Amino acid sequence: MRTVVRGQGSPVTVFAHGLGGTIADTRPFGSGVDGTRVFYTARGHDGTHIDRFDYESLADDLREVADAHDATHALGISMGAGALCRLLSQTPDRFERVVLYLPAVIDVPRGAEAMTRLQSLDASTATEAEVADAVLADVPAAVRDTAAARAYAQTRAQVLCLPSMRHAARNLANDVAVTDASALTKVTAPVLILGCVDDVAHPSSVAERLAQLFPNASLHIYDSPDVVWTKRQDLRARVSGFLDD
């Protein structure tokens, strides 16, 4: 796995990106975070052949990176949030502070709309152009026709269409982050959960349920799904304020 380390000292925070994402997607989340920031490329996303792609193997990789750098804090985005939940269900005391951004699934399979959306990213049945269109469809209409949005969609489609990733979306669509949600009630570390309304792929109900499961949770639900496009400064402030507390 490719890793990029920025900063120095304590605390050490590991950042796990979402499906089809890159290190570049997670680095803005750490821009205001103190200490050492460890970013890594999830399995398959660098083109390296993999035998498995599910939350169990993603959690194993997250643990490997965290252990290698003695990370005490962690942030997971979407798929990365699912991997982080799986790790915490196995080792509730692994981290001292946790941020979950746009969690998509816990222990119950996705609903029909979320399943359809995730399957639209399945490169085993769609062309790169079709995957890019599916990614772009999730970008807020106000910025969808910008060069930045098109570049984002194209980059993500290129990753999803790597030979190593062609079945990744399908595998995740049929998987759940944890097998027993009650295991998360043993996590006593502070957990910040960030969701948003009207996001089919990341229902706010998932974030709300996680906030009920974690004993020491803080929840914030944004009022629209365009957070990284229009509310990035607020998002960064919430993340850094929590991790640096």
Side-chain angles (χ1 to χ4, degrees), residues 15-115:
F15 295 78
H17 63 69
L19 178 66
T22 64
I23 289 174
D25 295 325
T26 49
R27 286 188 65 177
F29 286 81
S31 61
V33 176
D34 292 340
T36 304
R37 302 173 299 282
V38 181
F39 308 91
Y40 73 98
T41 301
R43 61 172 43 224
H45 286 64
D46 59 357
T48 303
H49 172 74
I50 50 175
D51 295 323
R52 292 178 56 191
F53 193 92
D54 52 23
Y55 285 112
E56 180 73 17
S57 55
L58 290 164
D60 289 344
D61 292 345
L62 173 56
R63 184 190 301 277
E64 179 181 336
V65 174
D67 288 352
H69 295 272
D70 295 323
T72 57
H73 295 183
L75 180 147
I77 303 171
S78 187
M79 177 189 79
L84 186 47
C85 284
R86 174 62 71 97
L87 187 159
L88 289 170
S89 72
Q90 299 166 337
T91 317
D93 60 351
R94 177 58 188 80
F95 295 108
E96 296 174 6
R97 279 189 176 266
V98 171
V99 178
L100 302 173
Y101 177 64
L102 297 183
V105 65
I106 310 174
D107 60 336
V108 178
R110 292 169 171 82
E113 281 189 287
M115 187 75 75

Side-chain angles (χ1 to χ4, degrees), residues 97 156-157 186 213:
R97 279 189 176 266
R156 196 165 174 214
K186 299 177 182 178
L213 287 166

Side-chain angles (χ1 to χ4, degrees), residues 148-165:
R150 290 192 296 272
Y152 163 75
Q154 186 59 47
T155 298
R156 196 165 174 214
Q158 289 172 349
V159 173
L160 289 167
C161 290
L162 289 169
S164 56
M165 292 291 291

Side-chain angles (χ1 to χ4, degrees), residues 19-20 53 79 110 114-115 117-124 131 160 164-175:
L19 178 66
F53 193 92
M79 177 189 79
R110 292 169 171 82
M115 187 75 75
R117 183 265 179 192
L118 193 52
Q119 289 174 338
S120 70
L121 305 178
D122 183 5
S124 67
V131 172
L160 289 167
S164 56
M165 292 291 291
R166 287 195 175 274
H167 298 286
R170 180 192 301 176
N171 289 357
L172 280 197
N174 295 306
D175 198 13

Side-chain angles (χ1 to χ4, degrees), residues 183-215:
L184 299 178
T185 64
K186 299 177 182 178
V187 178
T188 57
V191 180
L192 173 62
I193 304 164
L194 300 168
C196 61
V197 298
D198 298 328
D199 187 330
V200 172
H202 312 93
S204 58
S205 58
V206 173
E208 291 164 351
R209 184 171 173 232
L210 281 172
Q212 295 174 342
L213 287 166
F214 288 112

